[in-house]
Amino acid sequence: MRTNRRADTLFLLIFAGIFLSAIALAGGLLTEPAGAADFTRKNLPPCLAHPFGTDWMGRDMLARTVAGLSLSIRVGGLTALLSGGIALLLGTVSAACGPRVDALVSWVIDLVLGIPHILLIILVSLACGRGVWGVIAGVALTHWPSLARLVRGEVLQLKQATFLRAVRRLGVSRGRVLRTHLLPHLLPQLFTGLILQFPHAILHEAGVTFLGFGLSPERPAIGVILEESMGYLAAGRWWLALFPGLSLVLVVMLFAVAGERLRLLLAPASAQE
Amino acid sequence: MTLEAKNLTFRYPRRGAAPVLEGVSITLRPGERLGLSAPSGRGKTTLCKLLAGWEEPEDGQVLLDGAPLSRRGFCPVQLLWQHPEEAVDPLLKLRVSLYEAGPVDPAVLEGLGVREEWLERYPAELSGGELQRICAARVLGPELKFLLCDETSAMLDLITQARLWRFLLKQAEERGLGLLIVSHDAALLDRVCTRVLTWEEIAAPRRT
Ligand SMILES: Nc1ncnc2c1ncn2[C@@H]1O[C@H](COP(=O)(O)OP(=O)(O)O)[C@@H](O)[C@H]1O
Ligand SMILES: [Mg+2]
C-alpha cells in the first residue's frame, strides 16, 4: 500500500515537473508568435487551426495562453523560492536565537498573516514600482509566514532531540549543527511547503495583474489576458476567457494536488498508512 | 580534577510538576568507578543529564574542578545514553556520527570491535549493541575526564557486555578516567565498582 502511494506520488511529481517545465519553455519560445497580430483571422471561435480561438487583433489564444502560463510559472517559481528562503532563515533564527528574537519574529509572522494577502501584495507591488519585480516582491514578501511558522516549530522540536544534545556536548559548532543536523530534517517540510506555495503565488500574480496592479498590459500574462477578455464576454466571445482561465486552474490544481500528496506522504502521522 | 554536584534541584518543564531531583549531591574523583543503584523513576538518568551538561539545574551547581562546565568545545564529562539509537542522528551515516568530535584513535575502534562496514550504514540498520559501541568510541576523545554510563549495557548480550566493560575499565585505568556506573545489576556493580551508592545516600531526605 505504502510503496504504491509513494510510487504514485513520485509519478505525479515527475509528471507535474515535466509538464510545467515544458510549458515554461514553450512559453519562452512562443512569446513572438503570441504577440503576432493578423487581422485576416480576428475573432475566430475555436477551430482546428486555432484550438483556443483568436482575439480582436487576430492573435492566437493558445499561443497567448501558453506564453501567459509560462510567465506565471516562472514568476511563481521565483517567488516560491524567495519566500521559502525567507521562511527558512526567519524560522531557524526564531527558534535558535533565544526568546527575544523568537518573540520579535513571531510578532512579525502574526502581523503579516493578519493582513489580507491581496492588499499587502498590491501595496508592496506599488511600492516596488509594479512590473514583474513588484509582483515577485509582493508575493514573496507575503507568503513566507506560514512556512516560517512551520520551520520554527520543527526546529524547536528538534532542539529537544536527544541526539542534538549529545552532539552539542561533543563540541560541534552551531554552524555545523545547522548544516548537518537541522537542515536535512527540515528539507522534507520545506520542499513540500515550496510546492504548496507555487499555486498561491501563481494565483496571486494573476489576481493582482487582473486588478491592474501587477504586470504591465503588454506582457503576455494570464492576468492580462483575463482582464482584457472581460470586455468581450458581453459580445459573446466566451473563448477568450474560458480557455486561459481553465488552463490556469489546471496548472494550479496540478501543483496543489502534487504538494498535498507529498505532504501526506511525508507527514509522520500518515507514515503507516 | 573532580566532578561535583552540589544540592541539585531540577524539574521538567511541565505545569505544576514536582521536582525530579531535590538536594542531590554527588562527588566523582578521577580513577574512581562509582556505582549508583536506585529503583527506576527516581531520577538517575536525569542526574546524569545534569552532570553531563545536557540540562541546567534549577538550583545547585555542577562543578568540574570548582568551575562550572564550559558550554563550548568537547565536554570533559560525557554521557553514554541508555538508548544509543536516540543518541545518533537518524538521517546520517554512522561515519559522520562517529567522527563528530574529531578523529578517533584506531585502537579504540579496534578495542570496541567497531567494524568498518557499520560506518557506511544508517542507525536504523544497526543493532543497539553496535550503535552503543560507536557512541562509546566517539566520546572517548583525548579530553574526556569523566564518563557517565547510564544502564549502558542493559540491552546488550552477555558477550558484548563483557567485552565493552573490559575495554571501558581498561581505558579508565590507563587514563585515570572517573566512571559513574548506573545500573540495576547488583552483580555488575559489585564486580566493576570501587564504591557503590544508593539513592538515599546522594539525595536529601524527601519531605512528605
Ligand atoms: N523528558 C522528560 N520530561 C518529563 N518528565 C520526565 C522526562 N524524563 C524523565 N521524566 C520523569 O522524571 C522522573 C525520573 O526519570 P529518570 O531520570 O529517567 O529516572 P531513572 O533513570 O532513575 O529511571 C520520572 O518520573 C520520569 O517520568
Ligand atoms: Mg534511567
Side-chain angles (χ1 to χ4, degrees):
Chain A
M1 211 38 223
R2 175 129 190 252
T3 44
N4 245 337
R5 266 183 57 149
R6 177 163 283 181
D8 280 0
T9 303
L10 205 62
F11 178 77
L12 195 69
L13 282 176
I14 292 174
F15 173 75
I18 293 177
F19 183 68
L20 294 163
S21 330
I23 291 183
L25 260 178
L29 301 174
L30 277 176
T31 313
E32 278 289 297
D38 180 350
F39 289 96
T40 62
R41 53 167 208 205
K42 58 182 180 177
N43 294 330
L44 291 179
C47 59
L48 265 185
H50 306 285
F52 284 18
T54 62
D55 66 4
W56 64 97
M57 288 167 71
R59 290 177 294 190
D60 180 58
M61 287 309 287
L62 177 59
R64 289 193 77 197
T65 302
V66 173
L69 285 178
S70 162
L71 188 65
S72 289
I73 290 171
R74 279 176 289 164
V75 169
L78 201 56
T79 49
L81 273 182
L82 278 177
S83 62
I86 301 176
L88 179 64
L89 187 73
L90 288 186
T92 318
V93 161
S94 185
C97 292
R100 290 233 189 120
V101 179
D102 189 31
L104 181 69
V105 175
S106 299
W107 181 75
V108 176
I109 288 178
D110 288 337
L111 184 74
V112 177
L113 276 180
I115 304 174
H117 272 173
I118 199 80
L119 187 68
L120 203 56
I121 295 174
I122 290 175
L123 286 178
V124 175
S125 173
L126 283 179
C128 292
R130 296 184 166 188
V132 179
W133 290 107
V135 172
I136 290 177
V139 180
L141 286 176
T142 47
H143 279 70
W144 59 270
S146 47
L147 193 55
R149 187 181 266 180
L150 206 74
V151 170
R152 171 180 171 272
E154 195 78 358
V155 174
L156 281 180
Q157 205 180 354
L158 269 172
K159 272 175 73 180
Q160 299 299 318
T162 301
F163 76 84
L164 268 190
R165 288 169 187 245
V167 159
R168 252 185 274 142
R169 301 286 85 200
L170 287 171
V172 178
S173 71
R174 270 170 181 267
R176 198 184 130 91
V177 168
L178 191 69
R179 258 180 296 120
T180 49
H181 298 286
L182 287 181
L183 271 186
H185 285 264
L186 293 175
L187 229 47
Q189 295 266 15
L190 203 63
F191 189 54
T192 315
L194 278 188
I195 293 184
L196 285 173
Q197 300 251 299
F198 225 103
H200 272 267
I202 291 178
L203 277 183
H204 275 126
E205 178 263 316
V208 282
T209 303
F210 179 83
L211 291 174
F213 298 105
L215 304 179
S216 54
E218 59 271 17
R219 291 237 168 220
I222 284 285
V224 173
I225 296 175
L226 290 176
E227 198 264 328
E228 285 174 357
S229 62
M230 283 300 120
Y232 297 89
L233 268 186
R237 295 187 209 136
W238 49 271
W239 61 88
L240 292 181
L242 182 68
F243 293 117
L246 274 183
S247 318
L248 179 65
V249 171
L250 184 80
V251 165
V252 164
M253 276 182 51
L254 196 58
F255 265 114
V257 171
E260 192 58 25
R261 289 287 290 272
L262 188 67
R263 193 181 65 75
L264 283 179
L265 195 74
L266 294 175
S270 65
Q272 285 85 16
E273 275 181 38
Chain B
M1 189 173 265
T2 51
L3 178 65
E4 255 181 307
K6 283 187 179 166
N7 249 322
L8 297 182
T9 300
F10 179 83
R11 71 184 87 213
Y12 285 102
R14 205 188 312 122
R15 297 159 305 283
V20 174
L21 302 181
E22 215 172 358
V24 173
S25 303
I26 192 169
T27 304
L28 186 57
R29 278 176 279 272
E32 183 178 37
R33 301 189 295 275
L34 179 58
L36 178 61
S37 79
S40 51
R42 243 353 120 72
K44 304 180 295 293
T45 300
T46 308
L47 174 62
C48 289
K49 279 161 124 181
L50 287 166
L51 287 175
W54 288 25
E55 300 275 7
E56 292 287 335
E58 183 180 307
D59 197 22
Q61 288 174 301
V62 175
L63 300 174
L64 185 64
D65 247 3
L69 293 176
S70 161
R71 305 256 104 219
R72 306 184 149 271
F74 184 92
C75 182
V77 185
Q78 289 286 335
L79 170 54
L80 212 43
W81 190 244
Q82 180 178 3
H83 309 285
E85 67 281 2
E86 293 173 3
V88 288
D89 190 331
L91 296 185
L92 296 180
K93 285 188 178 165
L94 286 150
R95 181 176 302 285
V96 181
S97 290
L98 174 64
Y99 295 114
E100 202 101 60
V104 176
D105 185 354
V108 168
L109 295 181
E110 168 84 37
L112 285 166
V114 172
R115 290 213 218 107
E116 181 67 23
E117 72 235 37
W118 299 349
L119 304 185
E120 285 309 312
R121 302 201 207 143
Y122 291 93
E125 300 164 350
L126 288 182
S127 75
E130 290 162 348
L131 286 174
Q132 192 61 286
R133 284 184 263 172
I134 291 174
C135 288
R138 72 172 179 175
V139 298
L140 282 169
E143 293 119 286
L144 181 74
K145 295 287 183 286
F146 294 96
L147 185 61
L148 316 175
C149 306
D150 183 17
E151 323 246 3
T152 297
S153 54
M155 55 189 299
L156 307 185
D157 65 87
L158 287 176
I159 296 175
T160 316
Q161 213 179 81
R163 183 167 181 185
L164 181 65
W165 279 118
R166 207 178 317 124
F167 182 75
L168 286 180
L169 294 177
K170 193 168 124 253
Q171 283 278 312
E173 179 91 50
E174 285 171 8
R175 299 168 52 179
L177 303 177
L179 296 186
L180 177 68
I181 300 162
V182 174
S183 178
H184 289 302
D185 186 346
L188 174 79
L189 292 183
D190 265 354
R191 191 147 36 83
V192 303
C193 295
T194 50
R195 178 161 73 110
V196 178
L197 294 175
T198 60
W199 194 255
E200 287 66 34
E201 292 172 276
I202 63 166
R206 283 206 172 201
R207 281 173 281 146
T208 42

mmCIF file of all heavy atoms in Angstrom, chain B residues 17-33:
data_model
loop_
_atom_site.group_PDB
_atom_site.id
_atom_site.type_symbol
_atom_site.label_atom_id
_atom_site.label_comp_id
_atom_site.label_asym_id
_atom_site.label_seq_id
_atom_site.Cartn_x
_atom_site.Cartn_y
_atom_site.Cartn_z
ATOM 1 N N ALA B 17 4.624 20.421 37.915
ATOM 2 C CA ALA B 17 5.342 19.171 38.145
ATOM 3 C C ALA B 17 6.212 19.278 39.404
ATOM 4 O O ALA B 17 6.813 20.320 39.668
ATOM 5 C CB ALA B 17 6.208 18.844 36.938
ATOM 6 N N ALA B 18 6.266 18.198 40.161
ATOM 7 C CA ALA B 18 7.143 18.165 41.332
ATOM 8 C C ALA B 18 8.572 17.992 40.847
ATOM 9 O O ALA B 18 8.807 17.440 39.774
ATOM 10 C CB ALA B 18 6.740 17.010 42.235
ATOM 11 N N PRO B 19 9.549 18.494 41.617
ATOM 12 C CA PRO B 19 10.941 18.330 41.193
ATOM 13 C C PRO B 19 11.318 16.849 41.113
ATOM 14 O O PRO B 19 10.919 16.063 41.976
ATOM 15 C CB PRO B 19 11.748 19.037 42.279
ATOM 16 C CG PRO B 19 10.785 19.610 43.234
ATOM 17 C CD PRO B 19 9.422 19.225 42.873
ATOM 18 N N VAL B 20 12.066 16.502 40.066
ATOM 19 C CA VAL B 20 12.557 15.133 39.935
ATOM 20 C C VAL B 20 13.760 14.948 40.860
ATOM 21 O O VAL B 20 13.934 13.917 41.498
ATOM 22 C CB VAL B 20 12.950 14.850 38.469
ATOM 23 C CG1 VAL B 20 13.587 13.486 38.337
ATOM 24 C CG2 VAL B 20 11.721 14.953 37.578
ATOM 25 N N LEU B 21 14.603 15.990 40.917
ATOM 26 C CA LEU B 21 15.752 15.957 41.822
ATOM 27 C C LEU B 21 15.586 17.071 42.848
ATOM 28 O O LEU B 21 15.166 18.183 42.508
ATOM 29 C CB LEU B 21 17.061 16.200 41.058
ATOM 30 C CG LEU B 21 17.399 15.265 39.922
ATOM 31 C CD1 LEU B 21 18.735 15.663 39.314
ATOM 32 C CD2 LEU B 21 17.444 13.833 40.391
ATOM 33 N N GLU B 22 15.917 16.766 44.082
ATOM 34 C CA GLU B 22 15.853 17.797 45.112
ATOM 35 C C GLU B 22 17.015 17.566 46.066
ATOM 36 O O GLU B 22 17.113 16.512 46.696
ATOM 37 C CB GLU B 22 14.512 17.715 45.837
ATOM 38 C CG GLU B 22 13.998 19.082 46.233
ATOM 39 C CD GLU B 22 12.575 19.019 46.769
ATOM 40 O OE1 GLU B 22 11.973 17.928 46.796
ATOM 41 O OE2 GLU B 22 12.072 20.065 47.182
ATOM 42 N N GLY B 23 17.919 18.531 46.131
ATOM 43 C CA GLY B 23 19.051 18.429 47.048
ATOM 44 C C GLY B 23 19.930 17.208 46.808
ATOM 45 O O GLY B 23 20.318 16.524 47.743
ATOM 46 N N VAL B 24 20.248 16.951 45.549
ATOM 47 C CA VAL B 24 21.096 15.803 45.229
ATOM 48 C C VAL B 24 22.556 16.253 45.151
ATOM 49 O O VAL B 24 22.875 17.221 44.463
ATOM 50 C CB VAL B 24 20.672 15.155 43.899
ATOM 51 C CG1 VAL B 24 21.659 14.082 43.497
ATOM 52 C CG2 VAL B 24 19.271 14.583 44.017
ATOM 53 N N SER B 25 23.418 15.578 45.872
ATOM 54 C CA SER B 25 24.843 15.898 45.838
ATOM 55 C C SER B 25 25.636 14.620 45.597
ATOM 56 O O SER B 25 25.309 13.565 46.157
ATOM 57 C CB SER B 25 25.297 16.512 47.164
ATOM 58 O OG SER B 25 24.538 17.662 47.442
ATOM 59 N N ILE B 26 26.659 14.732 44.781
ATOM 60 C CA ILE B 26 27.484 13.564 44.495
ATOM 61 C C ILE B 26 28.863 14.043 44.067
ATOM 62 O O ILE B 26 28.986 15.116 43.459
ATOM 63 C CB ILE B 26 26.802 12.687 43.414
ATOM 64 C CG1 ILE B 26 27.465 11.331 43.304
ATOM 65 C CG2 ILE B 26 26.809 13.377 42.069
ATOM 66 C CD1 ILE B 26 26.660 10.355 42.449
ATOM 67 N N THR B 27 29.898 13.311 44.419
ATOM 68 C CA THR B 27 31.258 13.681 44.032
ATOM 69 C C THR B 27 31.919 12.495 43.352
ATOM 70 O O THR B 27 31.836 11.365 43.841
ATOM 71 C CB THR B 27 32.087 14.076 45.268
ATOM 72 O OG1 THR B 27 31.417 15.123 45.945
ATOM 73 C CG2 THR B 27 33.472 14.548 44.862
ATOM 74 N N LEU B 28 32.555 12.776 42.218
ATOM 75 C CA LEU B 28 33.219 11.729 41.456
ATOM 76 C C LEU B 28 34.669 12.144 41.240
ATOM 77 O O LEU B 28 34.942 13.245 40.765
ATOM 78 C CB LEU B 28 32.487 11.563 40.116
ATOM 79 C CG LEU B 28 32.912 10.428 39.201
ATOM 80 C CD1 LEU B 28 32.799 9.087 39.896
ATOM 81 C CD2 LEU B 28 32.039 10.437 37.949
ATOM 82 N N ARG B 29 35.599 11.245 41.649
ATOM 83 C CA ARG B 29 37.021 11.581 41.536
ATOM 84 C C ARG B 29 37.671 10.824 40.387
ATOM 85 O O ARG B 29 37.161 9.789 39.969
ATOM 86 C CB ARG B 29 37.722 11.251 42.855
ATOM 87 C CG ARG B 29 37.558 12.348 43.901
ATOM 88 C CD ARG B 29 38.170 11.958 45.229
ATOM 89 N NE ARG B 29 37.273 11.113 45.984
ATOM 90 C CZ ARG B 29 36.335 11.584 46.819
ATOM 91 N NH1 ARG B 29 36.188 12.876 46.984
ATOM 92 N NH2 ARG B 29 35.543 10.760 47.467
ATOM 93 N N PRO B 30 38.784 11.332 39.875
ATOM 94 C CA PRO B 30 39.471 10.644 38.774
ATOM 95 C C PRO B 30 39.866 9.231 39.205
ATOM 96 O O PRO B 30 40.213 9.014 40.368
ATOM 97 C CB PRO B 30 40.723 11.492 38.523
ATOM 98 C CG PRO B 30 40.518 12.763 39.253
ATOM 99 C CD PRO B 30 39.502 12.540 40.305
ATOM 100 N N GLY B 31 39.808 8.305 38.288
ATOM 101 C CA GLY B 31 40.224 6.938 38.580
ATOM 102 C C GLY B 31 39.222 6.159 39.404
ATOM 103 O O GLY B 31 39.393 4.960 39.617
ATOM 104 N N GLU B 32 38.159 6.849 39.815
ATOM 105 C CA GLU B 32 37.169 6.181 40.646
ATOM 106 C C GLU B 32 36.095 5.531 39.763
ATOM 107 O O GLU B 32 35.744 6.063 38.720
ATOM 108 C CB GLU B 32 36.514 7.225 41.558
ATOM 109 C CG GLU B 32 35.520 6.659 42.528
ATOM 110 C CD GLU B 32 34.949 7.740 43.439
ATOM 111 O OE1 GLU B 32 34.738 8.876 42.968
ATOM 112 O OE2 GLU B 32 34.741 7.455 44.613
ATOM 113 N N ARG B 33 35.573 4.379 40.209
ATOM 114 C CA ARG B 33 34.460 3.754 39.499
ATOM 115 C C ARG B 33 33.291 3.673 40.469
ATOM 116 O O ARG B 33 33.193 2.760 41.274
ATOM 117 C CB ARG B 33 34.861 2.367 39.000
ATOM 118 C CG ARG B 33 36.070 2.405 38.070
ATOM 119 C CD ARG B 33 36.323 1.065 37.426
ATOM 120 N NE ARG B 33 36.688 0.033 38.409
ATOM 121 C CZ ARG B 33 37.932 -0.171 38.852
ATOM 122 N NH1 ARG B 33 38.926 0.568 38.404
ATOM 123 N NH2 ARG B 33 38.181 -1.113 39.728
#
